[in-house]
């Protein structure tokens, strides 16, 4: 599970093996259930994701899935992707000496209380998305294509629209449209294989 990317976590990383083993031993003392999701250990409470951990290129970290609700009185949490990540917060460590079991338990216990209360960030209301002219044209000229597109959930429709809107050049938009047509006709979402 090794990775070259600075932002992709790895739980079996030789560089951080002692540090990750220590974090795991601390987490295992908490009243959480260990499961495997997305190829990594995730610790849950009543089936809700609470936290996970892993090594990165320059640091190792704990992350709390609903960390946005933690009081963070010790100011250790960061948003790994400002403006993108809404709820998850990361606690980064750069050496084994930074691991403080008492402090970690303080955060874990608060994270469990957050799950007990059912705190969640409400999803943003779907903002209207401009359908690219190319897609609108294809939808009006092919009844089966329009029918298949309309059968998709709003979320799947939005994924396709954004995918086309991200392309800058007309040639790229055309290639993307040809790529997604068979997927839409099959009722498949653009990102279904990742879910």
């Amino acid at each position: 599970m090794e990775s070259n990317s600075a932002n992709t976590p790895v739980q079996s990383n030789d560089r951080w093996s002692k540090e990750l083993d220590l974090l795991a031993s601390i987490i295992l003392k908490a009243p959480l259930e260990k499961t495997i999701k997305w190829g990594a250990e995730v610790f849950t409470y009543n089936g809700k994701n609470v936290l996970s951990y892993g090594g990165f290129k320059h640091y190792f970290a704990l992350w709390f899935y609903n960390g946005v609700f933690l009081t963070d009185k010790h100011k250790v949490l960061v948003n790994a992707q400002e403006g993108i990540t809404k709820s998850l917060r990361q606690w980064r460590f750069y050496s084994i000496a930074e691991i403080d079991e008492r402090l970690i338990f303080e955060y874990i216990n608060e994270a469990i209380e957050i799950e007990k209360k059912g705190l969640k960030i409400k999803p943003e209301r779907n903002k209207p998305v401009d359908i690219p002219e190319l897609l609108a044209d294809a939808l009006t000229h092919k009844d089966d294509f329009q029918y298949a597109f309309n059968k998709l959930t709003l979320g799947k429709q939005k994924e396709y629209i954004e995918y086309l809107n991200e392309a800058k050049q007309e040639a790229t938009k055309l290639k993307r449209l040809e790529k997604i047509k068979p997927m839409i006709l099959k009722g498949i979402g653009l990102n279904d294989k990742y879910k």
Side-chain angles (χ1 to χ4, degrees):
M1 205 166 135
E2 190 67 38
S3 171
N4 293 330
S5 171
N7 295 321
T8 304
V10 288
Q11 285 182 334
S12 57
N13 181 335
D14 289 338
R15 177 171 183 195
W16 304 115
S17 60
K18 288 179 190 170
E19 292 85 350
L20 294 175
D21 286 347
L22 180 55
L23 281 181
S25 71
I26 293 169
I27 296 167
L28 286 169
K29 295 176 188 175
L32 297 170
E33 187 175 319
K34 181 172 87 169
T35 185
I36 302 293
K37 294 184 181 184
W38 312 288
E41 291 178 2
V42 174
F43 295 84
T44 65
Y45 184 83
N46 285 339
K48 304 291 185 192
N49 298 340
V50 175
L51 67 99
S52 188
Y53 68 101
F56 295 80
K57 189 173 183 181
H58 301 293
Y59 59 88
F60 58 101
L62 278 176
W63 54 91
F64 297 89
Y65 289 97
N66 270 319
V68 69
F69 296 108
L70 291 167
T71 55
D72 192 20
K73 65 181 179 182
H74 301 285
K75 305 294 180 223
V76 296
L77 301 177
V78 297
N79 184 335
Q81 295 180 302
E82 203 62 52
I84 298 171
T85 304
K86 304 284 187 233
S87 194
L88 188 138
R89 293 297 180 267
Q90 207 177 59
W91 183 348
R92 295 178 179 177
F93 303 90
Y94 299 89
S95 77
I96 201 164
E98 295 176 28
I99 298 174
D100 181 331
E101 184 170 337
R102 182 192 56 76
L103 227 72
I104 290 171
F105 264 110
E106 192 177 309
Y107 279 74
I108 290 173
N109 288 332
E110 187 181 357
I112 291 169
E113 289 304 312
I114 287 166
E115 291 310 322
K116 286 180 182 177
K117 292 175 184 173
L119 298 178
K120 297 275 182 241
I121 288 185
K122 290 187 172 43
E124 293 179 7
R125 289 275 176 232
N126 283 342
K127 300 175 205 163
V129 181
D130 292 332
I131 295 178
E133 194 174 317
L134 196 63
L135 178 59
D137 189 48
L139 291 170
T140 56
H141 289 95
K142 296 273 188 184
D143 288 340
D144 59 336
F145 187 59
Q146 183 177 25
Y147 176 77
F149 187 79
N150 289 336
K151 278 184 65 177
L152 295 173
T153 64
L154 290 176
K156 289 180 182 182
Q157 289 178 5
K158 187 176 177 182
E159 286 174 356
Y160 283 120
I161 291 167
E162 287 175 349
Y163 178 66
L164 291 173
N165 282 338
E166 288 168 357
K168 303 291 182 231
Q169 297 181 358
E170 196 67 22
T172 306
K173 289 182 183 198
L174 284 167
K175 283 181 187 174
R176 288 186 176 191
L177 180 62
E178 290 310 309
K179 175 186 172 185
I180 65 174
K181 275 184 182 177
M183 296 169 71
I184 292 171
L185 289 168
K186 290 179 185 175
I188 299 170
L190 181 65
N191 299 311
D192 281 4
K193 65 181 176 183
Y194 303 111
K195 294 177 182 171

